[in-house]
């Protein structure tokens, strides 16, 4: 069995570290601290310039739910076109209807716009009403990968649904385990679920280069320090790759 390790990154340096660690590809985004939003063109181009990794771009216009208005949908569709023209290897997308089902009409438009790029259905899947129906819909659309925690807070908690998804998918679509993934979890999940693809950030917290620090002036989410940088660790990715090699 061939295993895939995808690293979610939101900076050029994180992508470089992922490649050094042996990742197969990156899911490129911005703002990982809020679950990821769409990356900009310059970030994509720099990751392409400084690594040889396969790049799938996350397309998510904002934080929050996955039910989008007509303006947000147009943004996503425009970004699919833009990243296809820029040479991305794939896109990571997902749109739900208010009733929790996959928005087949809008997803079909995005899949058609993607052309021959790879397509991952992101964790909108994990808040959909029926994971097995959603999987079948994704397969019918021609999507090749589902990123999922098994509809739980972490992939380990969702291991039973992950195992069932892998079984019922029967090789028709890749089930990629994500959320709370690290080398130790992979070592337990792989034999339990039979999943062959894993998604992790492998991040560590790095101290800011700032010497002068104005405390008490938060720029974003309260409780998060402005002087901490989240960055993928080459060592964390390398350990995960080693675990996957040993399983083989």
């Amino acid at each position: 069995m061939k295993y895939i390790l995808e690293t979610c990154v939101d900076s050029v340096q994180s992508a470089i570290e992922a490649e050094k660690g042996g990742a197969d590809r990156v899911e490129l985004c911005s703002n990982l601290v809020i679950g990821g939003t769409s990356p900009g063109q310059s970030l994509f181009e720099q990751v392409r310039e400084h690594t040889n990794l396969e790049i799938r771009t996350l397309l998510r216009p904002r934080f929050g739910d996955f039910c989008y208005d007509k303006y947000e949908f147009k943004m996503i569709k425009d970004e699919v076109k833009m990243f296809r023209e820029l040479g991305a290897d794939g896109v990571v997308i997902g749109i739900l209807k208010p009733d929790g089902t996959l928005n087949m009409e809008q997803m079909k438009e995005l899949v058609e716009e993607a052309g021959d790029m790879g397509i991952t259905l992101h964790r909108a899947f994990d808040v959909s009403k029926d994971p097995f129906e959603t999987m079948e819909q994704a397969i019918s659309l021609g999507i090749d990968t589902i990123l999922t925690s098994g509809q739980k807070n972490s992939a380990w908690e969702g291991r039973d649904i992950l195992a069932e998804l892998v079984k019922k998918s029967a090789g028709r679509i890749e089930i990629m385990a994500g959320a709370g993934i690290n080398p130790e979890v992979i070592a337990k999940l792989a034999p339990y679920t039979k999943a062959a693809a894993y998604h992790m950030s492998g991040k560590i917290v790095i101290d800011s280069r700032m010497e002068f620090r104005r405390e008490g002036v938060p720029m974003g989410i309260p409780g998060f320090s402005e002087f901490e940088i989240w960055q993928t660790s080459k060592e964390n990715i390398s350990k995960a790759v080693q675990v996957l090699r040993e399983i083989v």
Side-chain angles (χ1 to χ4, degrees):
M1 184 184 293
K2 183 183 185 300
Y3 288 90
I4 295 170
L5 184 68
E6 177 181 272
T7 305
C8 49
V9 302
D10 61 359
S11 70
V12 180
Q13 192 61 52
S14 282
I16 291 170
E17 296 302 314
E19 183 172 46
K20 287 178 181 176
D24 295 292
R25 70 176 182 232
V26 292
E27 179 197 81
L28 185 63
C29 64
S30 292
N31 305 308
L32 257 178
V33 70
I34 55 171
T37 55
S38 301
Q41 178 177 340
S42 179
L43 176 57
F44 173 84
E45 290 176 337
Q46 287 205 52
V47 170
R48 178 63 87 209
E49 178 183 350
H50 295 289
T51 76
N52 293 306
L53 287 167
E54 182 181 333
I55 305 171
R56 292 197 178 194
T57 55
L58 172 68
L59 304 182
R60 185 182 179 214
R62 57 162 170 78
F63 169 78
D65 66 39
F66 303 103
C67 186
Y68 299 116
D69 64 28
K70 62 181 180 180
Y71 310 109
E72 293 165 331
F73 174 66
K74 180 64 163 56
M75 289 169 65
I76 297 170
K77 191 172 179 181
D78 287 349
E79 287 175 334
V80 172
K81 181 176 186 289
M82 177 181 76
F83 284 112
R84 175 171 53 78
E85 292 175 347
L86 287 171
D89 299 285
V91 289
V92 184
I93 55 177
I95 303 178
L96 300 178
K97 290 183 176 179
D99 66 359
T101 61
L102 200 62
N103 190 320
M104 292 293 284
E105 296 80 9
Q106 291 185 339
M107 289 295 290
K108 187 172 185 292
E109 283 192 49
L110 298 183
V111 169
E112 289 173 351
E113 188 67 64
D116 60 359
M117 284 196 293
I119 303 173
T120 300
L121 171 58
H122 60 45
R123 292 189 65 212
F125 178 89
D126 283 328
V127 291
S128 67
K129 192 172 184 178
D130 182 331
F132 302 104
E133 179 186 5
T134 304
M135 179 181 73
E136 293 300 331
Q137 290 177 318
I139 292 168
S140 74
L141 287 167
I143 291 168
D144 62 70
T145 303
I146 293 173
L147 171 61
T148 174
S149 63
Q151 297 205 320
K152 298 292 184 180
N153 189 50
S154 72
W156 180 245
E157 292 174 54
R159 61 191 179 277
D160 290 331
I161 290 180
L162 282 170
E164 192 69 13
L165 287 165
V166 171
K167 182 179 178 181
K168 289 189 175 182
S169 68
R172 295 173 296 156
I173 195 167
E174 188 82 72
I175 302 300
M176 180 163 58
I181 298 295
N182 58 41
E184 294 73 29
V185 169
I186 291 173
K188 296 186 296 180
L189 264 184
Y192 190 93
T193 66
K194 305 298 189 290
Y198 296 87
H199 170 98
M200 63 183 285
S201 67
K203 64 181 176 293
I204 55 174
V205 178
I206 296 173
D207 195 42
S208 166
R209 290 186 292 271
M210 286 295 297
E211 295 173 3
F212 174 76
R213 301 188 177 190
R214 177 77 67 194
E215 300 289 354
V217 189
M219 297 293 164
I221 302 173
F224 281 83
S225 171
E226 303 295 334
F227 304 107
E228 292 180 350
I229 309 297
W230 292 16
Q231 184 174 291
T232 295
S233 159
K234 173 187 71 176
E235 288 75 21
N236 286 343
I237 301 303
S238 181
K239 287 175 186 174
V241 169
Q242 188 59 42
V243 167
L244 290 172
R245 285 176 179 163
E246 289 171 359
I247 291 170
V248 174

